[in-house]
Amino acid sequence: MADQNVPPRRPRDDRGWDGRQHHTADGYAEHTSSAPYGYDSPHPYQGGYPTQGDPREQYADGYAQPAPAPRGPQWVGPEGLGRPAPARTAGTGLPTLDDDDEPGRKVGRRKAMVALGGTAAVVAGGAALAMTPQIRSLFGDDAAADATGSTVTDGTAARPSGQQPSTVRTYTEQNESYMGSRAGEALKKNAPTGGRAFSGPAAAAAATKVTVKTVLAKDPILHLARRATFGATPAVVSDIKKLGIDGWIRSQMEPDKLEPSKAELKLAELPTQKLDVQQLRTQRDQLNDQGAQPEREMVDATIARQIWSKRQLFEVMVDFWNDFLHVAADFDGGEVYRNSFDKDVVRKHALGSYPEMLVAANKHPALLIYLNQKDSRKDAINENLARENLELYSVGVDGGYKEPDVRQAAMLQTGRGVQDGKYVFRPEQHYVGKVKILGFTHANNSSDPKKAEAAIDAYITYIALHPSTAKYVAQSLATRFVSDTPPKSLVDRLAKTYTTNNGMIKPVLMTLFSSSEFWAAVGQKVRRPMEYLVATYRTLGVSPEASPKHNNGDNKRTPYARGLRQIHDKMRELGHFPMGQPTPDGYPDVYVAWTSAGTMLNGWNEAGELLAGYRTMFTYTAPEKLVAKPPATAGAYVDALSQRLVNQKLSTREKNLILGVAGVAATAKVDATFNGAITAVARAILASPQHHLR
């Protein structure tokens, strides 16, 4: 099964890097070059899901590895996973939200912000979904009743998709299993139920009336900016208005024609990103001396692109495919091969052909190593890749295949392997004989490399174009871009476009953006932890240039490289970072999978760090300068700041909560610093549902 047939720990493919985590003088945990670098993060684990226990696990080869950060419903305190809070000079900085209910304060900062941010699910689902047990604990015993009691619909809590060998937790079913809870049922009641297609996105936007309950402004430009990017910015909104909805989408569909941002050009400061597989192998000692970690620098670069790239729709699709056709960044071999998989498989085909992507993936060393295909031969067949090709990467668990199909596919795929860092086909290890898989039949009667590989490629293309795959891709795209419970009408329309266009992705996206279901779903998606963090960097206009205050104490890495690693490490604390899921199923993409009070608080505190400019590897706009001409009264200032940060004013109730955080009335006179409370006020706005929703 997908959550069992994960690559076992095996001898390293060549000698890898090894490293440990340290704390820097500024209090942020980051990786230094005091030891050779390598895996100090989770490998795909064996035998199902990880257990909570000692934070480091000692493997047989002697390498100490940290346990993977648990995902979703977990407690991650404001100081992270057992890490001490960054040291601050007395009287400076912003207090964490875990201890800031000061005696005499009319509205506790923590309670006020939870009341703001905790309603993200309420406004998405039209019910009191935010009051999970974790969030209720922040209020005390007088909290509202819990409305999110999870009911496992089948199997067990650890394996919600059941116990049958062919029933696994796929990307689609993973989402559906979470949506089987009471919270999920409530979300469904507020989601659009149907719709129709139009001649183009602009026509669909103009003709669609938003009827769902939401606190977001029902503005199609803002809706598009939130869904097709990692967060609306003044520049994105301006571009959509200038080019028009149709023109902007067309420009995003041709990412190669968009100029790289300054931050993307600075990725040259990550030394391993320009190296191919062979260079990574031959320059190992030099990279060790530099303290470089190729698989982590790849994640760092991905984060940079999410925050600063102008090719936002492309980056959103890269993230989508990294969950759908998932290969973890952290696995034995990832330091050599995962960067190439990112460039030569995912990014090469992200807006192209999914069948071509899947064929390329099945010939790439990263996937062949990750799922043990390189060890599969005709006299000792390994089923891992054959099973995941069906369960996760194509037709899905309910796609109609049976166990004999898995075995037949596993026999057909024998012979593929890795040698000297390159994909190879070993004809002597290839099973020869007729196969029949899900209606695909092939004589497979030759061990000639060209004929044998052609047979495998024909099978991979077949399952990539299977009707069940069309539905699976359509359901996943609709879940990503529309709602946690996308209408069947849209899924069917997208699946038809996928089939008609032989798995080409751009036509499917154009069908999606030209559908009323997309434009009717304002406020129907809640940002996952990584998305919240990236959107915060984007809305605050953080610059990739180092602050004048920065004192670079690392002569091996630039401030930019160190800053990206700190963001990366923060995302690891939140349990959500690019390519971070250890198992091949990728991250879930529904709100109820990520309801965690601790993660929410940690995200809010990170927003406070950015507002205060503590990460000096980047340059920030001072919070008192976010609004060019701040109004003189507190209420008007909150309105202006809300417009700047979340592109709309807040409700009267939300505004009063924020004024309570500052301890002033709406009519009170304030200066540009909000009488010293501007950082707390801005952070509270970033805790609002308007910033949590996308």
Side-chain angles (χ1 to χ4, degrees):
M1 294 186 293
D3 54 355
Q4 287 184 329
N5 289 343
V6 182
R9 177 81 178 175
R10 27 166 242 293
R12 289 177 177 257
D13 178 73
D14 301 321
R15 179 171 58 85
W17 292 275
D18 182 35
R20 302 292 176 263
Q21 196 169 61
H22 301 271
H23 289 275
T24 59
D26 62 5
Y28 292 104
E30 112 172 284
H31 301 277
T32 72
S33 56
S34 59
Y37 270 73
Y39 300 101
D40 52 353
S41 39
H43 292 269
Y45 36 76
Q46 306 175 46
Y49 293 92
T51 57
Q52 303 296 322
D54 188 86
R56 304 193 67 85
E57 181 178 354
Q58 192 73 27
Y59 286 98
D61 64 1
Y63 289 91
Q65 309 292 345
R71 186 198 66 225
Q74 58 170 311
W75 183 265
V76 186
E79 73 285 359
L81 291 171
R83 298 182 180 181
R88 301 283 181 230
T89 304
T92 66
L94 196 65
T96 63
L97 293 172
D98 205 35
D99 60 356
D100 62 355
D101 285 347
E102 301 165 8
R105 180 179 289 277
K106 184 177 180 181
V107 180
R109 188 175 289 125
R110 179 188 355 144
K111 292 183 179 180
M113 292 181 70
V114 169
L116 280 164
T119 57
V122 176
V123 296
L129 305 182
M131 298 305 292
T132 64
Q134 299 102 316
I135 293 178
R136 287 173 61 231
S137 70
L138 300 176
F139 283 93
D141 295 335
D142 58 344
D146 176 25
T148 62
S150 178
T151 301
V152 178
T153 55
D154 57 15
T156 68
R159 198 187 310 279
S161 300
Q163 300 289 336
Q164 295 303 313
S166 62
T167 305
V168 299
R169 196 170 178 176
T170 67
Y171 184 82
T172 295
E173 187 180 352
Q174 178 173 236
N175 290 336
E176 291 173 350
S177 69
Y178 284 112
M179 297 308 291
S181 66
R182 287 164 55 195
E185 290 300 319
L187 283 169
K188 293 175 186 178
K189 294 178 181 178
N190 193 42
T193 57
R196 53 176 288 221
F198 288 84
S199 59
T208 302
K209 183 179 180 180
V210 179
T211 60
V212 295
K213 298 177 182 178
T214 179
V215 298
L216 290 186
K218 297 176 181 180
D219 181 335
I221 290 178
L222 292 177
H223 178 59
L224 178 62
R226 291 187 182 103
R227 294 295 175 86
T229 78
F230 278 97
T233 65
V236 167
V237 172
S238 175
D239 284 346
I240 298 175
K241 290 179 178 178
K242 177 182 177 181
L243 299 174
I245 288 173
D246 287 348
W248 185 83
I249 291 176
R250 281 196 301 269
S251 71
Q252 289 290 307
M253 292 282 198
E254 298 180 338
D256 292 342
K257 294 183 180 180
L258 298 174
E259 63 180 7
S261 65
K262 182 187 299 183
E264 288 175 293
L265 295 175
K266 284 175 67 64
L267 291 177
E269 298 177 23
L270 304 182
T272 66
Q273 291 305 286
K274 57 180 179 287
L275 303 180
D276 61 25
V277 168
Q278 296 304 318
Q279 289 171 321
L280 287 172
R281 285 162 53 88
T282 59
Q283 297 181 29
R284 190 183 311 272
D285 291 339
Q286 179 183 348
L287 294 171
N288 278 338
D289 292 340
Q290 293 174 354
Q293 293 176 284
E295 78 283 15
R296 286 184 180 256
E297 285 195 351
M298 175 195 62
V299 175
D300 298 342
T302 300
I303 293 168
R305 294 184 178 108
Q306 290 177 352
I307 296 173
W308 289 295
S309 177
K310 298 177 183 178
R311 304 158 181 166
Q312 280 289 295
L313 179 59
F314 176 75
E315 291 302 325
V316 168
M317 287 304 298
V318 166
D319 185 60
F320 169 83
W321 291 120
N322 273 325
D323 277 334
F324 190 96
L325 182 55
H326 181 66
V327 175
D330 298 323
F331 76 97
D332 281 344
E335 75 277 19
V336 171
Y337 301 106
R338 190 55 179 84
N339 189 40
S340 171
F341 189 85
D342 184 61
K343 292 187 295 186
D344 301 330
V345 177
V346 176
R347 291 181 176 275
K348 181 177 180 179
H349 300 287
L351 288 174
S353 163
Y354 181 60
E356 290 181 9
M357 181 189 294
L358 189 59
V359 168
N362 272 265
K363 292 182 178 180
H364 196 281
L367 186 62
L368 299 179
I369 294 171
Y370 182 56
L371 290 177
N372 303 107
Q373 185 62 33
K374 77 179 190 68
D375 300 321
S376 184
R377 58 185 188 272
K378 62 183 180 182
D379 60 342
I381 296 174
N382 187 296
E383 296 182 355
N384 281 357
L385 180 57
R387 184 177 300 279
E388 309 307 7
N389 272 334
L390 289 166
E391 294 180 348
L392 298 177
Y393 306 151
S394 65
V395 301
V397 65
D398 55 354
Y401 72 90
K402 300 182 184 300
E403 286 300 302
D405 295 309
V406 175
R407 292 193 288 271
Q408 291 272 295
M411 292 191 301
L412 175 62
Q413 292 175 222
T414 52
R416 293 190 159 179
V418 180
Q419 182 175 327
D420 297 329
K422 298 179 181 179
Y423 163 74
V424 295
F425 185 79
R426 299 184 175 97
E428 73 280 3
Q429 300 297 343
H430 176 66
Y431 166 83
V432 174
K434 184 178 180 179
V435 294
K436 183 178 181 180
I437 312 154
L438 265 182
F440 172 85
T441 59
H442 200 285
N444 186 39
N445 57 4
S446 174
S447 60
D448 176 81
K450 290 185 178 180
K451 293 181 179 180
E453 287 202 85
I456 302 173
D457 288 348
Y459 160 69
I460 297 297
T461 302
Y462 171 84
I463 61 173
L465 292 173
H466 193 279
S468 294
T469 304
K471 180 182 177 182
Y472 184 16
V473 173
Q475 178 79 27
S476 300
L477 282 170
T479 300
R480 174 68 186 226
F481 284 95
V482 177
S483 76
D484 291 0
T485 57
K488 183 178 183 297
S489 59
L490 176 63
V491 174
D492 291 345
R493 201 177 305 130
L494 298 181
K496 182 178 180 180
T497 300
Y498 180 95
T499 298
T500 301
N501 291 275
N502 295 316
M504 296 299 293
I505 299 305
K506 287 183 182 180
V508 179
L509 289 176
M510 285 303 296
T511 297
L512 187 150
F513 292 131
S514 300
S515 299
S516 62
E517 293 94 334
F518 171 78
W519 299 98
V522 175
Q524 295 297 293
K525 292 294 295 184
V526 181
R527 285 176 171 141
R528 297 177 291 178
M530 177 185 77
E531 296 161 359
Y532 175 86
L533 203 61
V534 170
T536 301
Y537 273 81
R538 287 175 59 78
T539 198
L540 289 176
V542 178
S543 166
E545 302 293 343
S547 165
K549 301 177 183 178
H550 181 68
N551 179 17
N552 188 19
D554 186 343
N555 60 7
K556 295 184 178 180
R557 289 189 294 163
T558 66
Y560 182 56
R562 294 179 63 216
L564 291 175
R565 181 60 52 83
Q566 289 186 0
I567 303 175
H568 178 172
D569 287 343
K570 174 57 68 173
M571 288 180 178
R572 284 180 180 260
E573 288 183 18
L574 297 176
H576 186 208
F577 60 97
M579 296 155 278
Q581 175 78 323
T583 48
D585 51 353
Y587 289 117
D589 195 10
V590 292
Y591 164 72
V592 292
W594 298 97
T595 52
S596 167
T599 297
M600 186 179 290
L601 290 175
N602 205 351
W604 295 343
N605 283 326
E606 178 67 7
E609 301 287 285
L610 302 185
L611 286 161
Y614 285 136
R615 297 199 189 283
T616 59
M617 289 73 69
F618 305 122
T619 299
Y620 310 83
T621 300
E624 62 270 19
K625 295 182 179 179
L626 287 169
V627 175
K629 296 180 179 179
T633 59
Y637 198 166
V638 169
D639 287 341
L641 194 56
S642 300
Q643 192 70 48
R644 166 64 183 81
L645 295 178
V646 295
N647 298 289
Q648 66 181 84
K649 294 180 180 179
L650 305 182
S651 69
T652 300
R653 174 182 174 274
E654 292 162 343
K655 184 163 73 172
N656 287 337
L657 283 167
I658 290 173
L659 291 170
V661 168
V664 298
T667 56
K669 295 290 185 180
V670 293
D671 59 15
T673 71
F674 218 98
N675 297 348
I678 184 63
T679 301
V681 169
R683 182 174 67 171
I685 293 173
L686 294 175
S688 71
Q690 285 82 351
H691 188 56
H692 276 281
L693 294 172
R694 62 170 169 90

